[in-house]
Amino acid sequence: LEGQFKKFSAQVAFDPAKLATSKIAFTVDTGSATLGSRETDAELPKPAWFNVPKFPQAQFVSSSIKALGGGKFEVAGALTIKGNSQNVVVPVTLTQNGTTTTATGALPIKRLAFKIGENEWADTSMVADDVQVKFKLA
C-alpha cells in the first residue's frame, strides 16, 4: 500500500557551506494520513494506529547534517511518532532546477518501534513491519 500525509510543515535553515548551524524540522499532522480508501482512512486515526486524539502530530528534528558529495547528505535526528522517539539517519538528495531546490529521499522505519498497528495489527504477516517513508520537498 502507498499512502500520504496531506498536512505537514517544514522549518528549514540549510546552507551547504554552514552545515554545523543548519537545522531541519518537520511536523506532520497524523490525522491527515490517507491510504485512499474510506475504510482504511477511518482506521488510521484510531488508538491502534496513529491515535490522533492523543498524538495529533509526528515530528522530525535534525541534530546534524553531513555532506556526502554530489548533492547527497545524511541528516541525523530524532523521529517521534505516537510519543516514541528513535534516532534516525535520513538520506537526502538535493537537486537544483533554476531557482528551485528539491530535497528527496526515503527513510526505512519499523512501524512497531513507534507502536503503529498495535494489538492484533502487530502481526507482521498481515501488515509488514518495514515501512518506507518517502519525501519530496521543493
Side-chain angles (χ1 to χ4, degrees):
L1 289 175
E2 283 202 23
Q4 64 180 340
F5 293 97
K6 294 182 176 183
K7 294 181 185 175
F8 62 91
S9 64
Q11 300 78 41
V12 179
F14 178 79
D15 182 342
K18 298 178 183 174
L19 292 180
T21 57
S22 294
K23 296 270 185 208
I24 300 170
F26 282 93
T27 302
V28 175
D29 179 347
T30 56
S32 73
T34 180
L35 294 172
S37 154
R38 233 179 318 171
E39 294 82 15
T40 54
D41 289 358
E43 292 298 314
L44 292 176
K46 293 182 178 178
W49 295 99
F50 287 114
N51 197 355
V52 172
K54 188 172 181 183
F55 303 104
Q57 295 180 324
Q59 289 187 308
F60 171 80
V61 178
S62 69
S63 56
S64 68
I65 303 172
K66 178 181 173 184
L68 302 177
K72 296 187 183 305
F73 298 84
E74 286 183 342
V75 181
L79 177 63
T80 305
I81 306 171
K82 282 184 78 174
N84 300 286
S85 285
Q86 298 280 321
N87 290 324
V88 297
V89 177
V90 183
V92 178
T93 300
L94 294 182
T95 55
Q96 191 73 35
N97 187 357
T99 60
T100 303
T101 302
T102 303
T104 57
L107 172 67
I109 66 167
K110 301 282 189 185
R111 69 175 175 87
L112 295 176
F114 297 97
K115 297 186 178 168
I116 300 169
E118 295 183 83
N119 304 321
E120 71 270 17
W121 294 107
D123 179 357
T124 57
S125 69
M126 293 288 291
V127 180
D129 192 22
D130 295 313
V131 176
Q132 287 288 324
V133 178
K134 298 176 189 175
F135 60 90
K136 180 177 180 180
L137 181 67

